[in-house]
Amino acid sequence: DAGVTQSPTHLIKTRGQQVTLRCSPKSGHDTVSWYQQALGQGPQFIFQYYEEEERQRGNFPDRFSGHQFPNYSSELNVNALLLGDSALYLCASSLGQLSNQPQHFGDGTRLSIL
Amino acid sequence: AQTVTQSQPEMSVQEAETVTLSCTYDTSESDYYLFWYKQPPSRQMILVIRQEAYKQQNATENRFSVNFQKAAKSFSLKISDSQLGDAAMYFCAYRSADFTASKLTFGTGTRLQVTL
């Protein structure tokens, strides 16, 4: 039973560039959420995708955008990268949007901005 | 907006001993869920235990148990018979029962060290 998989594991970019991170949800899950975890902090919610639509969004600028595909996998895109975007980006999947369904996390993508 | 506070940046416990990690939260909602997640150096967030706010009985999972005080908005995690593999960052998290707002709100974490 494959868990949540994220790619790449590590990524180095420079300011102003654009980046795409990928997530495949756990088998049987159809909802994907993205979180940003800065060093020494707890994860912060970016947005959630369900039925290929963004359903909820946290306090992140429009530079952060996403997509969900028919097979439930998801991408997180960040444009015009800033130094402050350096963080661990976590993807979590769940079955449906109901709050009683636990979210399962991937290992994350470490994004470093130079 | 809901907030989650973990006031202990670091805790240390000896192997086989018991440790309690603290968490308080603020919300105006009456129905919600609380979670403790463990994040080892491998980075993956692992669900340790969860509590439904409408249940008065404290949740337990093997060596892990919680003390849920709804009126005080407190949700502490007790780890019994601590093992070396328990060493990790522990995050307390809140989730509304409203499915349109089902994001997780995390605290800043507590780093747990387990010594021999």
Side-chain angles (χ1 to χ4, degrees):
Chain A
D1 181 17
V4 180
T5 57
Q6 293 186 241
S7 63
T9 304
H10 234 112
L11 203 50
I12 300 174
K13 292 285 188 178
T14 57
R15 281 180 298 175
Q17 285 189 311
Q18 178 264 343
V19 68
T20 297
L21 310 181
R22 295 176 176 83
C23 172
S24 292
K26 178 181 169 66
S27 178
H29 285 182
D30 57 7
T31 303
V32 173
S33 301
W34 287 92
Y35 294 83
Q36 179 195 66
Q37 186 178 16
L39 199 61
Q41 300 295 316
Q44 298 288 317
F45 175 74
I46 303 175
F47 43 54
Q48 181 186 81
Y49 276 85
Y50 174 68
E51 293 186 335
E52 302 181 48
E53 290 190 16
E54 184 183 292
R55 300 292 179 169
Q56 300 174 51
R57 189 179 182 91
N59 294 325
F60 280 80
D62 292 344
R63 298 186 298 109
F64 290 76
S65 64
H67 189 76
Q68 186 179 36
F69 299 94
N71 67 352
Y72 308 121
S73 67
S74 177
E75 289 183 348
L76 164 64
N77 302 293
V78 187
N79 294 323
L81 286 166
L82 304 173
L83 293 178
D85 295 332
S86 294
L88 178 67
Y89 288 84
L90 295 166
C91 171
S93 73
S94 58
L95 178 59
Q97 292 184 277
L98 295 177
S99 297
N100 63 354
Q101 296 298 315
Q103 294 190 356
H104 296 253
F105 285 81
D107 289 345
T109 294
R110 174 76 65 190
L111 176 62
S112 300
I113 311 301
L114 303 179
Chain B
Q2 295 82 21
T3 59
V4 177
T5 302
Q6 293 179 251
S7 58
Q8 305 157 316
E10 287 194 24
M11 293 284 285
S12 183
V13 63
Q14 282 193 319
E15 198 177 19
E17 296 297 308
T18 296
V19 66
T20 298
L21 308 184
S22 301
C23 172
T24 59
Y25 59 94
D26 189 28
T27 184
S28 58
E29 298 179 323
S30 59
D31 198 11
Y32 49 86
Y33 300 87
L34 296 166
F35 304 85
W36 279 98
Y37 279 89
K38 169 185 177 181
Q39 187 178 41
S42 64
R43 309 186 314 200
Q44 186 181 36
M45 283 282 189
I46 302 166
L47 178 63
V48 175
I49 197 167
R50 75 173 193 174
Q51 174 80 42
E52 291 88 348
Y54 62 85
K55 289 187 178 179
Q56 291 188 331
Q57 186 173 8
N58 289 324
T60 62
E61 285 288 342
N62 301 313
R63 298 183 294 107
F64 299 87
S65 62
V66 299
N67 184 3
F68 172 49
Q69 302 289 330
K70 190 172 184 179
K73 296 180 182 174
S74 170
F75 182 61
S76 61
L77 174 68
K78 185 171 83 171
I79 306 174
S80 305
D81 186 25
S82 295
Q83 301 174 0
L84 293 177
D86 294 334
M89 284 291 292
Y90 285 81
F91 291 95
C92 178
Y94 172 102
R95 193 177 188 189
S96 171
D98 177 359
F99 79 94
T100 65
S102 60
K103 66 176 183 178
L104 285 166
T105 299
F106 289 87
T108 52
T110 296
R111 182 174 302 281
L112 178 65
Q113 294 182 323
V114 181
T115 59
L116 294 171

